[in-house]
Amino acid sequence: MLEKIGRLIDSDVLVVGGGAGGLWAALSAKRHFPEGRITLVDAHMVGRTGHTAFSNAWMVMVSPEDDLDACVRDIVEGNEWIAEQELIREVLSLSYGQVLDLERMGLRFAREGGQFVRRPTRGLRVTKVLKPVGGGLEFCWVLRKALESEGIRIVERIFVTDLLQDDHGWIAGAAGIDGRSGEFCVLRAKATVLATNSVTFRAGFVRDLTGTGPVLAYRAGAAITNAEFGYLRPATPKFYFEGITFAIQDGAKFVNAAGEPFMEKYEPDWADQADVQLISKAMVMEKRAGKAPLYLDMSLVPEEKREDYLHSTVAWMDYFYKKLGERARIDMFGRTEYYPFYQMTKMAIKTDSGCRASLPGLFAAGLAQASCATHFAGFHIGACNGTGWIAGRSAAALAREVQAPAVSEAGAASLKDKIRRGFGEGHDRAEDELLFELQKLIFRYDLSILKTEERLSEAVGALAGIEEKLAATKAGHTHGFVRLRETEAMVEAAKLIFIASRARQESRLSHIREDFPKRDDRNWLRWVLLRRRGGEAEVSTEPIATPLVPPPREASP
Amino acid sequence: MIVDIELDKCTSCGLCDPICPADVIHMERNGDREFPAIKYPEHCVTCFNCEIFCPTQCIDVHPIVRRRPLPW
Ligand SMILES: Cc1cc2nc3c(=O)[nH]c(=O)nc-3n(C[C@H](O)[C@H](O)[C@H](O)COP(=O)(O)OP(=O)(O)OC[C@H]3O[C@@H](n4cnc5c(N)ncnc54)[C@H](O)[C@@H]3O)c2cc1C
Ligand code: SF4
Ligand code: SF4
């Protein structure tokens, strides 16, 4: 009796993670399988937490009068071909209908003369973005209400620790614990969608929130990819500032210790308007040239424009800016020291164009799914909306066809026991210290921004020490247990990042190898795949299909 | 980081506990009522959720940033 082992929740489709990806996946599963039992679980409060809720929710939308093929080409080229072309085409072709659907649910978008107000976004030439008036909070809340009214079960505060598997490797749901009481939970399902976002290393502010999904999938034996790519950006540890793009348009510049602007030197065409990844790389070069510290000079933003930067439609940012001057006495419009920063990995679950992972019964949506290696402002949420819909549809189709999978009592009991063994006498903040050790490594510019084979190999070695200490660390309470499991996932992710980065012997997008400084289309229009075999990461590569946007000419032999 | 909850203004509605994405605030029993306790301030991600959604505006979050290692 599984009920005796823990709290049992039975579903046809289980969605883990309630951001844009998971909310759409649950809705889509229900719409494609109306009589099905659809459950959405999240570690926190659906609609109020997670990256989507804290975002502006700018999203890509391709309307019927736009050139869909040109938009597909735009995203594929912007991704330097590291993109799942057919999936991206479907994501874009769904986007207009999804925005109309959101409007019907009650979400407000600005319209002028009946048309949606859209604007271009950094890094893309033709594709345009729009945002809900109330940002991510309103976006998530409207979707949450729609889920409730359509009969989808929402279960909160369950932290998923493992995927359940039957004897044939079929994914049969997930296991986890109640984030407060610590009660063990079995979430049995015919189809499981992971929509937990990818892994961050608690780089700062709300991006401190991390997802564990890609690591859970990897541990169960699924293929993951894009671990060598990351989201790089200039940032200051002093405060949180989302408006760099606009500030630069209004005159702000990056300058070195001598006060000289330096972006023109590295990016003659774009200068300070270059993509954030290129700014990060230029900052590293300037530091290497002995010209650090580096600053963003916001004093160049004219007085009459400054007021705009002190407000945001995103509630938390608005509070933040208001209090920055009031409480912290920080003047945003001075010269502030900036660093290139590794915000998060693009590591995600490899799927086919139906968002089906390489293990039967498992699907992926949102940033936990590997649609591409860089998302640009607006295509994060854009990709989440579309992959959510597609993953939910594929999961529903499977759940309609199959019987409930057999979850053995012994299997569930051993997962429960594994959790129990994670608790014990421990000093309260042990996981914080191990996290700090990990951060010291992963945030190093010469590991996460400028890489070499030698340094990557050393880093893998250094991780072993942290892994050992983690394995010996026990949690005294549920809060600590969750933090420990998250840190464990981050350490595993870091290892996979270093291994994948060693494998890709070229430079492309955010993956910059000092020992292979050029992009190599002839050899590297490939996915770097990682699978767990016998406890170790097995690396392989696979050509990227190019059915819609042909590869660049250099790629042909 | 969260710095203070003015308990004399708090109505014990309980919202600040589940709305915190970092599990910082726990409702705890004190006599016949539950009050919010700041259990893990060092894990606060400065998202302002608790301050924004508290119906009696009795929570104060300071815009300070926690320590994190720098890239050089
Ligand atoms: C401040 C900010 C502004 C941004 N602005 C934009 C923008 O304007 N446009 C844009 O396109 N992108 C933007 N982004 C990026 C974008 O918000 C994210 O990439 C996107 O929302 C990710 O959605 P998701 O559904 O994959 O993950 P999330 O929204 O993060 O949801 C994942 C959910 O999974 C849950 N979860 C994770 N692990 C587990 C587990 N083990 N068990 C149970 N639950 C778990 C989490 O609690 C979370 O609720 C912004 C991000 C931030 C932080
Ligand atoms: S600011 Fe956010 S993370 Fe900090 S205590 Fe409040 S709700 Fe929690
Ligand atoms: S949200 Fe405000 S009123 Fe409600 S319990 Fe928390 S502090 Fe008290």
Side-chain angles (χ1 to χ4, degrees), chain A residues 61-100:
Chain A
M61 183 191 78
V62 179
S63 69
E65 59 271 16
D66 295 335
D67 182 345
L68 174 63
D69 293 331
C71 294
V72 175
R73 201 176 326 117
D74 205 18
I75 301 233
V76 171
E77 285 178 1
N79 266 285
E80 300 185 358
W81 277 264
I82 308 293
E84 199 72 71
Q85 297 192 0
E86 283 180 335
L87 179 64
I88 283 173
R89 188 172 201 283
E90 191 178 8
V91 163
L92 294 178
S93 69
L94 287 166
S95 61
Y96 184 66
Q98 287 186 298
V99 167
L100 294 184

Coordinates of all heavy atoms in Angstrom, one line a residue, chain A residues 61-100:
Chain A
M61 N 5.8 37.6 -29.6 CA 4.6 37.2 -30.2 C 4.7 37.4 -31.8 O 5.1 38.5 -32.2 CB 3.4 38.0 -29.7 CG 2.1 37.6 -30.3 SD 0.7 38.7 -29.9 CE 1.0 40.0 -31.1
V62 N 4.3 36.4 -32.5 CA 4.3 36.5 -34.0 C 2.8 36.5 -34.4 O 2.1 35.6 -34.2 CB 5.0 35.3 -34.6 CG1 5.0 35.4 -36.1 CG2 6.4 35.2 -34.1
S63 N 2.4 37.7 -34.9 CA 1.0 37.8 -35.3 C 0.7 37.3 -36.7 O 1.7 37.1 -37.5 CB 0.5 39.2 -35.1 OG 1.1 40.0 -36.1
P64 N -0.5 37.1 -37.1 CA -0.8 36.5 -38.5 C -0.2 37.3 -39.6 O 0.2 36.8 -40.6 CB -2.3 36.5 -38.5 CG -2.8 36.5 -37.1 CD -1.8 37.2 -36.4
E65 N 0.0 38.7 -39.4 CA 0.5 39.4 -40.5 C 2.1 39.5 -40.5 O 2.7 40.0 -41.4 CB -0.1 40.9 -40.6 CG 0.1 41.7 -39.4 CD -1.0 41.6 -38.3 OE1 -1.8 40.6 -38.4 OE2 -1.1 42.4 -37.4
D66 N 2.7 38.9 -39.5 CA 4.1 38.8 -39.5 C 4.6 37.7 -40.3 O 3.9 36.8 -40.7 CB 4.7 38.6 -38.0 CG 4.3 39.7 -37.1 OD1 4.2 40.9 -37.6 OD2 4.2 39.5 -35.9
D67 N 5.9 37.7 -40.7 CA 6.5 36.7 -41.5 C 7.1 35.6 -40.5 O 8.2 35.8 -40.0 CB 7.6 37.3 -42.4 CG 8.3 36.3 -43.3 OD1 8.1 35.1 -43.1 OD2 9.0 36.8 -44.2
L68 N 6.3 34.6 -40.4 CA 6.7 33.5 -39.4 C 8.1 32.9 -39.7 O 8.9 32.8 -38.8 CB 5.6 32.4 -39.4 CG 5.9 31.2 -38.5 CD1 6.1 31.5 -37.0 CD2 4.8 30.1 -38.7
D69 N 8.3 32.7 -41.0 CA 9.6 32.0 -41.3 C 10.8 33.0 -41.0 O 11.8 32.5 -40.6 CB 9.6 31.7 -42.8 CG 8.6 30.5 -43.1 OD1 8.4 29.7 -42.2 OD2 8.1 30.4 -44.2
A70 N 10.5 34.3 -41.2 CA 11.6 35.2 -40.9 C 11.9 35.3 -39.4 O 13.0 35.4 -39.0 CB 11.2 36.6 -41.4
C71 N 10.8 35.1 -38.6 CA 11.0 35.1 -37.2 C 11.8 33.8 -36.7 O 12.6 33.9 -35.8 CB 9.7 35.2 -36.4 SG 8.9 36.8 -36.7
V72 N 11.5 32.7 -37.4 CA 12.2 31.5 -37.0 C 13.6 31.7 -37.4 O 14.5 31.3 -36.5 CB 11.6 30.3 -37.8 CG1 12.4 29.0 -37.6 CG2 10.1 30.0 -37.5
R73 N 13.9 32.2 -38.5 CA 15.3 32.4 -39.0 C 16.0 33.4 -37.9 O 17.1 33.1 -37.5 CB 15.3 33.0 -40.4 CG 16.7 32.8 -41.1 CD 16.7 33.3 -42.5 NE 15.4 33.2 -43.2 CZ 14.7 34.2 -43.7 NH1 15.1 35.4 -43.5 NH2 13.5 34.0 -44.3
D74 N 15.3 34.4 -37.5 CA 15.8 35.4 -36.6 C 16.3 34.7 -35.3 O 17.4 34.9 -34.8 CB 14.6 36.3 -36.2 CG 15.1 37.7 -35.7 OD1 16.2 38.0 -36.0 OD2 14.2 38.4 -35.1
I75 N 15.5 33.8 -34.8 CA 15.8 33.1 -33.5 C 16.9 32.1 -33.7 O 17.9 32.0 -32.9 CB 14.6 32.5 -32.9 CG1 13.5 33.5 -32.6 CG2 14.9 31.6 -31.6 CD1 12.9 33.7 -31.3
V76 N 16.8 31.4 -34.8 CA 17.9 30.4 -35.1 C 19.2 31.0 -35.3 O 20.2 30.6 -34.7 CB 17.5 29.5 -36.3 CG1 18.6 28.6 -36.7 CG2 16.2 28.6 -35.9
E77 N 19.2 32.1 -36.1 CA 20.5 32.8 -36.3 C 21.0 33.5 -35.1 O 22.2 33.4 -34.8 CB 20.3 33.8 -37.4 CG 20.2 33.2 -38.8 CD 20.0 34.2 -40.0 OE1 19.9 35.4 -39.7 OE2 19.9 33.7 -41.1
G78 N 20.1 34.0 -34.3 CA 20.5 34.7 -33.0 C 21.1 33.6 -32.1 O 21.9 33.9 -31.2
N79 N 20.7 32.4 -32.2 CA 21.2 31.3 -31.4 C 22.4 30.6 -32.1 O 22.9 29.6 -31.6 CB 20.1 30.2 -31.2 CG 19.4 30.5 -29.9 OD1 20.0 30.2 -28.8 ND2 18.2 31.0 -29.9
E80 N 22.9 31.2 -33.2 CA 24.0 30.6 -33.9 C 23.8 29.1 -34.1 O 24.6 28.3 -34.0 CB 25.3 30.9 -33.2 CG 25.6 32.4 -33.1 CD 26.9 32.9 -32.6 OE1 27.7 32.0 -32.2 OE2 27.2 34.1 -32.5
W81 N 22.6 28.8 -34.5 CA 22.1 27.4 -34.8 C 21.9 26.5 -33.7 O 21.5 25.3 -33.9 CB 22.9 26.9 -36.0 CG 22.5 27.4 -37.3 CD1 21.6 26.8 -38.2 CD2 22.8 28.6 -37.9 NE1 21.3 27.6 -39.2 CE2 22.1 28.7 -39.1 CE3 23.6 29.7 -37.5 CZ2 22.2 29.8 -40.0 CZ3 23.7 30.8 -38.4 CH2 23.0 30.8 -39.6
I82 N 22.2 26.9 -32.5 CA 22.0 25.9 -31.4 C 20.5 26.1 -31.0 O 20.1 26.8 -30.0 CB 22.9 26.3 -30.1 CG1 24.3 26.4 -30.5 CG2 22.7 25.2 -29.0 CD1 25.0 25.1 -31.0
A83 N 19.6 25.5 -31.8 CA 18.2 25.6 -31.6 C 17.5 24.4 -32.2 O 17.9 23.9 -33.2 CB 17.8 26.9 -32.3
E84 N 16.4 24.1 -31.6 CA 15.5 23.0 -32.1 C 14.5 23.7 -33.1 O 13.5 24.2 -32.7 CB 14.8 22.4 -30.9 CG 14.2 21.1 -31.0 CD 15.3 20.0 -31.0 OE1 15.9 19.7 -30.0 OE2 15.4 19.4 -32.1
Q85 N 14.8 23.6 -34.4 CA 14.1 24.5 -35.3 C 12.6 24.2 -35.4 O 11.8 25.2 -35.4 CB 14.8 24.4 -36.7 CG 16.2 24.8 -36.7 CD 16.7 24.9 -38.2 OE1 16.1 24.7 -39.1 NE2 18.0 25.3 -38.3
E86 N 12.2 23.0 -35.5 CA 10.8 22.7 -35.7 C 10.0 23.1 -34.4 O 8.9 23.6 -34.5 CB 10.6 21.3 -36.1 CG 10.9 21.1 -37.5 CD 10.7 19.7 -38.1 OE1 10.8 18.8 -37.3 OE2 10.5 19.7 -39.3
L87 N 10.6 22.9 -33.3 CA 10.0 23.2 -32.0 C 9.8 24.8 -32.0 O 8.7 25.3 -31.6 CB 10.8 22.7 -30.8 CG 10.3 23.1 -29.5 CD1 8.9 22.4 -29.2 CD2 11.2 22.7 -28.4
I88 N 10.8 25.5 -32.3 CA 10.8 27.0 -32.3 C 9.7 27.5 -33.2 O 8.9 28.4 -32.9 CB 12.2 27.5 -32.6 CG1 13.0 27.4 -31.3 CG2 12.1 29.0 -33.0 CD1 14.4 27.8 -31.3
R89 N 9.6 26.8 -34.4 CA 8.6 27.3 -35.3 C 7.2 27.1 -34.7 O 6.3 28.0 -34.8 CB 8.7 26.5 -36.6 CG 7.7 27.0 -37.7 CD 8.0 26.3 -39.0 NE 7.5 27.2 -40.1 CZ 6.2 27.3 -40.5 NH1 5.3 26.6 -39.8 NH2 5.8 28.1 -41.5
E90 N 7.0 25.9 -34.1 CA 5.6 25.7 -33.5 C 5.4 26.7 -32.3 O 4.3 27.2 -32.2 CB 5.4 24.3 -33.0 CG 3.9 24.2 -32.7 CD 3.4 22.8 -32.3 OE1 4.2 21.9 -32.1 OE2 2.2 22.7 -32.2
V91 N 6.4 26.9 -31.5 CA 6.3 27.8 -30.4 C 5.9 29.2 -30.9 O 4.9 29.8 -30.4 CB 7.7 27.9 -29.6 CG1 7.7 29.2 -28.7 CG2 7.9 26.7 -28.8
L92 N 6.5 29.7 -31.9 CA 6.2 31.0 -32.5 C 4.8 31.0 -33.1 O 4.1 32.0 -33.0 CB 7.2 31.4 -33.5 CG 8.7 31.7 -33.0 CD1 9.6 32.1 -34.1 CD2 8.7 32.8 -31.9
S93 N 4.5 29.9 -33.8 CA 3.1 29.9 -34.5 C 2.0 29.8 -33.4 O 0.9 30.3 -33.7 CB 3.1 28.8 -35.5 OG 3.0 27.6 -34.9
L94 N 2.3 29.3 -32.2 CA 1.3 29.3 -31.2 C 1.1 30.6 -30.5 O 0.1 30.9 -29.8 CB 1.7 28.2 -30.1 CG 1.5 26.7 -30.5 CD1 2.3 25.9 -29.5 CD2 0.1 26.3 -30.5
S95 N 2.1 31.5 -30.6 CA 2.2 32.6 -29.7 C 1.0 33.6 -29.8 O 0.5 34.1 -28.7 CB 3.5 33.4 -29.9 OG 3.6 33.9 -31.2
Y96 N 0.5 33.8 -31.0 CA -0.6 34.8 -31.1 C -1.8 34.3 -30.4 O -2.5 35.0 -29.7 CB -0.8 35.1 -32.6 CG -1.9 36.1 -32.9 CD1 -1.7 37.4 -32.5 CD2 -3.1 35.8 -33.5 CE1 -2.6 38.4 -32.8 CE2 -4.0 36.7 -33.8 CZ -3.8 38.0 -33.4 OH -4.8 39.0 -33.7
G97 N -2.2 33.0 -30.7 CA -3.3 32.4 -30.1 C -3.2 32.4 -28.6 O -4.2 32.6 -27.9
Q98 N -2.0 32.2 -28.1 CA -1.9 32.2 -26.6 C -2.1 33.6 -26.0 O -2.7 33.7 -24.9 CB -0.5 31.7 -26.2 CG -0.4 30.1 -26.5 CD 1.0 29.6 -26.0 OE1 2.0 29.9 -26.5 NE2 0.9 28.7 -25.0
V99 N -1.6 34.6 -26.7 CA -1.8 36.0 -26.2 C -3.3 36.3 -26.2 O -3.9 36.8 -25.2 CB -1.0 37.0 -27.0 CG1 -1.5 38.4 -26.7 CG2 0.5 36.9 -26.7
L100 N -4.0 35.9 -27.2 CA -5.5 36.1 -27.3 C -6.2 35.3 -26.2 O -7.1 35.8 -25.5 CB -6.1 35.7 -28.6 CG -5.6 36.5 -29.9 CD1 -6.4 36.0 -31.1 CD2 -5.8 38.0 -29.7

